[in-house]
Structure formats: structure tokens, C-alpha cells
Amino acid sequence: MRRVHTTALLLDVRDLQEKDRIVTFLTVEHGQKRGVARSARTKFSRYAGQLQPLAKVQLSWFEKEGRDLVRLGEVELERPAMAIMEDLEGILLSSYLAEHMVHFAQENEPSPKLFRLLDSTIEALLAGVDRHLAARYYEIWVLRLAGIFPPPSICPLCAQPFPDRAVLMAAEGALVCPSCMPGGWTIGAAELELLRHSARQNLAQLSTRPPTAAVLNRIEELCGRIRRHFLQTELRSYQVMRDTLAI
Amino acid sequence: MGVAMSDPLARLVGELSRLPSIGPKTANRLAHHLLRVSRQEAATLSKAILDVKDLLFHCKTCFSITDRDPCLICTDPQRHRNRLCVVEEPFNIQPIERTGEHHGLYHVLLGALSPQRGIGPQDLTVDALMQRLEGIEEVILATNPNVEGEATALYLARLLKQRGLSVSRLAFGMPVGADIEFTDEVTLGRSLAGRQPL
């Protein structure tokens, strides 16, 4: 049995039978992992309130070869994320961010970039960066790191620079120029600019000259279409977020 | 290699080990215990299990588990009919009843909002709750103190406040008898945020 100690971001915590919980977490060195926190549901559990989604923790686990689930040992809270989850929108957004990692981060494979993306996004949200902007930046970068949505510099079909708009080629989940595909779902110059800026600037820099809500809405739609094309399904949290906030 | 169990015994062990908190060893012990009891005792247990399935159902008003509709709590004339306590599951009612602090009615949501599991408002009994608010003045949201419970409470609070109702939530904090020294930051932080004036 091997003992591992590292920093992790908690993605999901769900009940397991009477007393235990299954914790899904993301690490730099080992990617996504799932572990059992024994007796985490009992009144005087040593894990107490530390197993909260998106919390940054120092944790240790024990693993046996050939087993998917590890056994969690000590968990020490390094940075709680409760401040993001003080309202309904914050809780829903947190679940949405976490579910991206559950789908895009590989198990048992180093994920330094995805870890850094989620970590910095949580940090920015805790610092008060606009949630709409943070969510769109995060979506763009998750797709980018998955290798399916590079920054739009030239049209992949004709290799010419994009003019003031681009068309989403649904079958490929990629942006092309209007000359190569005259009709279809398009984004404009402001959206293209945000996609390019997000490749060079961090969230704090982007938030000094924030895009309009209309631009962010269009980017949300674009990323949603590419994500659905890639995953062949929609994230559950995205659907619940839309249903819940439609009141 | 262990002694092979005859088929009915293996089947019983298999069925028992599917129950929550029952591992193969416990299932084996229970099965051998049942082998030793009288046929009458085994039949009583078997009938009790089938009765639970045949005779119990959800109350159409509050969605608790009952053998009559409306349930005993919904029809109890002694209860305060202007106060409603909302819980996630039917088994959450008993612990609250044992406190003796709530004398009003209940409403069971049959779950909690859970974005990552795809459980949204339409999967809960929210519509039924909104349809039974006539005469209700206060709603107590007794959902669990976790992310799902908190999301559910915040969602319901938003809906209920639109109807002009008084909405309260169970307090968060340290358990009675606990020690500050051994309390985690999250729980202690919540206790401080929810402190009461003296």
C-alpha cells in the first residue's frame, strides 16, 4: 500500500452508504482521483466541514495497486471556497466549474495546467472578479487545454486571418471565416477579440476592461456548442443552473 | 477455500449484503441467525418487509411516508397550521419531531438540488409545496448543511419570499458538547457568522 501526500482541489463530495463519503479531487501530479473518506458523515468526523467542493486542501491518501478508489487519510484545509457559495448563483457556478474538471481532467495523469486554471479561477472569484467573465474565461481555457479550441488567429480551411466575424462549423466544432462558410452561427469582432485576449491576459487583466454582457453571452453560447459537440452531451450542472435560475 | 453454501442460503446472503451497511460477513451472520429462528419468526419478518412495500406510500400533501392519506401529521388538529417545516427526505421528520420544538406541519422535497447529479427543481416536490401555502405564515427550511442543502434552501427562500412569507433556515454551528479547540475552521466560521446576541 502506497501513501501519497499532495495539494488538491475538491471537485465533488457524495455520500457512500451510512457513514462514508466519496470525494473526487484534482491534483497536479496525479490528475483526477476518487477516494473514500471513512466515517466522514458521522457527528465527530475528523473531516468535519473540510470536505467542501472547490476547497483547496493538503491531503494524503493510501492506494492499492489495481484499485480505482483510494482511501483518504488526513485532510487539512488550505483555502475554503465558502465565500463563493454564499448565494444560489455562486453554488451553481461552483458546481459548473467542478464538473468541467470531472469531464476534462484525466484520472491518474498529471494535470498541472487544468489544476492551475481551476485554482486561479477560484482565487479570482474569491477576490471579487465578475462571475460572468470568470466563467467564460474558464470555459474558453478548459476547451483550449483539451486541445479542441485554439485561439482564433487564422481560418483553419483557407489559412487567412479572420475578418470581423467568424462562423462556427458545427460538424467540426471549429471557427472558420465567412468566405469558407457563408452561412451559419456566427460571432462578431468583439467576441473574436475576447477569445484572442484571453490567450494572453489573465482574469485580473481582462477585468480591467470587461467585455459587455452581450459579448459574454455569445461566448457562453459558443463554448457550450463546442463543449456539447466534443462531449456529445451537456454538463448536468449547466442544465440545472439554467432551470434553477429561470425563476 | 470455504465450504460452499447451499443455493437458498447463498441467495439470502446475497440479498442481505445488498442492504446498506451490511457487508458479506454481517450478511452471512444474519443469514445463519435466520436459519436458526422458527418458521413463524421468519414469516413475521418476511411479512413485515412485504407490508412496508405494499401498505406504505407517500402522503399526497406532505410526501412523508404513511399508510393513510392524508398522513397523521397533516390531519392532526393540534398542529399549528401556519408553520411549515421543509425537509429533504421522509426520514428527516423523526429527528425534528424528537426535539419537540416544532409543532407545525411538514413538507418533504424527496431530495435536494444537486447540479452535478443533474437534480433540478423539477425533480423535487417544489410545485406541490408552492400549491399548499394558503394559511402558511412561516416556512422553516431544514435542509442539510451541505452544498446541496444550501442550494435548495436558497432556491426555496427566493421563491417563498416572492409570496411574502417569513422564511427561516436551521442555524449552523458547533454541536452541543463540542470543543472550540477541535472544531474545524468552516464550522467555527459559520458559528461566528450566525452568532446570537445575548
Side-chain angles (χ1 to χ4, degrees):
Chain A
M1 190 183 289
R2 189 167 76 112
R3 182 177 184 271
V4 184
H5 184 93
T6 191
T7 304
L9 294 165
L10 304 187
L11 302 177
D12 188 30
V13 181
R14 59 178 70 188
D15 294 343
L16 174 68
Q17 297 189 342
E18 298 290 289
K19 294 185 198 165
D20 307 334
R21 290 207 156 108
I22 290 188
V23 183
T24 308
F25 54 95
L26 182 68
T27 68
V28 171
E29 307 88 347
H30 309 275
Q32 188 184 157
K33 301 286 293 183
R34 291 193 316 139
V36 177
R38 286 197 180 154
S39 300
R41 297 177 68 191
T42 56
K43 191 160 47 172
F44 297 112
S45 162
R46 62 177 165 153
Y47 300 110
Q50 294 174 332
L51 298 180
Q52 298 290 335
L54 294 195
K56 190 176 189 178
V57 297
Q58 290 292 324
L59 65 78
S60 62
W61 73 80
F62 301 89
E63 61 184 26
K64 278 185 183 170
E65 211 166 310
R67 290 213 181 156
D68 289 341
L69 279 176
V70 300
R71 179 163 64 82
L72 291 194
E74 289 141 26
V75 177
E76 198 175 319
L77 195 61
E78 193 174 297
R79 185 194 59 208
M82 296 306 289
I84 306 174
M85 293 184 250
E86 283 176 349
D87 54 41
L88 184 59
E89 286 79 2
I91 294 176
L92 295 167
L93 174 60
S94 302
S95 297
Y96 179 60
L97 299 182
E99 196 184 359
H100 269 89
M101 290 299 154
V102 171
H103 282 270
F104 285 92
Q106 298 297 308
E107 288 188 30
N108 300 314
E109 281 182 25
S111 305
K113 289 179 180 169
L114 285 174
F115 185 94
R116 210 162 55 232
L117 172 64
L118 180 57
D119 192 29
S120 62
T121 305
I122 297 167
E123 199 69 60
L125 286 167
L126 288 168
V129 164
D130 176 62
R131 285 174 177 171
H132 199 5
L133 176 62
R136 303 304 71 90
Y137 179 86
Y138 182 81
E139 287 165 345
I140 293 167
W141 267 103
V142 167
L143 296 174
R144 203 164 276 170
L145 293 175
I148 52 176
F149 189 43
S153 51
I154 54 167
C155 170
L157 296 182
C158 64
Q160 294 300 308
F162 283 101
D164 59 349
R165 63 195 181 95
V167 184
L168 180 68
M169 191 161 58
E172 300 293 326
L175 290 173
V176 295
C177 70
S179 311
C180 291
M181 185 179 263
W185 193 87
T186 61
I187 57 167
E191 289 85 28
L192 280 169
E193 188 181 291
L194 176 59
L195 291 173
R196 290 188 193 115
H197 281 175
S198 67
R200 297 190 299 268
Q201 297 180 346
N202 64 26
L203 257 176
Q205 290 166 325
L206 276 180
S207 62
T208 56
R209 284 180 59 218
T212 63
V215 170
L216 293 173
N217 289 341
R218 202 72 179 159
I219 292 291
E220 178 180 359
E221 177 65 28
L222 171 68
C223 290
R225 284 173 182 244
I226 294 172
R227 184 179 63 232
R228 284 190 291 276
H229 177 263
F230 178 69
L231 295 175
Q232 294 293 304
T233 182
E234 182 52 287
L235 297 181
R236 288 168 167 181
S237 55
Y238 188 71
Q239 197 54 51
V240 172
M241 184 158 58
R242 293 184 80 95
D243 292 346
T244 308
L245 296 179
I247 53 173
Chain B
M1 198 169 146
V3 179
M5 279 186 279
S6 57
D7 267 354
L9 188 58
R11 208 147 35 90
L12 180 58
V13 170
E15 291 303 318
L16 288 170
S17 61
R18 288 169 58 184
L19 297 173
S21 298
I22 307 283
K25 281 184 188 169
T26 309
N28 202 18
R29 270 201 301 277
L30 288 172
H32 280 90
H33 170 77
L34 291 172
L35 257 181
R36 284 194 297 273
V37 302
S38 66
R39 185 180 164 71
Q40 171 74 34
E41 219 174 309
T44 308
L45 174 65
S46 157
K47 185 172 182 320
I49 292 170
L50 286 175
D51 281 354
V52 162
K53 297 305 295 175
D54 293 342
L55 303 177
L56 298 184
F57 49 88
H58 290 292
C59 169
K60 287 196 177 72
T61 308
C62 72
F63 294 91
S64 65
I65 301 286
T66 182
D67 60 352
R68 66 198 71 182
D69 193 26
C71 69
L72 285 173
I73 291 179
C74 286
T75 51
D76 184 350
Q78 305 293 318
R79 292 211 163 241
H80 301 160
R81 312 199 77 76
N82 59 352
R83 192 176 298 160
L84 186 68
C85 180
V86 179
V87 295
E88 290 180 14
E89 300 290 349
F91 52 75
N92 295 146
I93 292 178
Q94 273 311 311
I96 295 174
E97 281 294 282
R98 282 200 299 269
T99 67
E101 295 287 334
H102 176 65
H103 306 290
L105 303 172
Y106 287 93
H107 186 85
V108 182
L109 293 168
L110 299 179
L113 287 181
S114 183
Q116 286 208 55
R117 283 170 248 325
I119 300 173
Q122 71 283 355
D123 301 307
L124 310 176
T125 62
V126 175
D127 286 344
L129 170 65
M130 301 312 286
Q131 281 163 20
R132 60 175 296 209
L133 294 175
E134 203 178 315
I136 301 291
E137 290 167 13
E138 184 190 357
V139 178
I140 301 164
L141 299 173
T143 51
N144 283 319
N146 53 29
V147 174
E148 285 85 0
E150 188 74 351
T152 310
L154 289 166
Y155 174 72
L156 291 177
R158 198 174 283 188
L159 285 180
L160 294 165
K161 281 179 180 170
Q162 286 171 2
R163 299 280 192 100
L165 295 170
S166 162
V167 182
S168 56
R169 172 98 169 92
L170 291 190
F172 294 108
M174 294 168 57
V176 175
D179 196 317
I180 286 178
E181 191 185 349
F182 298 111
T183 305
D184 68 283
E185 303 91 314
V186 175
T187 307
L188 195 54
R190 290 227 160 178
S191 304
L192 280 167
R195 65 191 182 277
Q196 297 277 324
L198 293 174

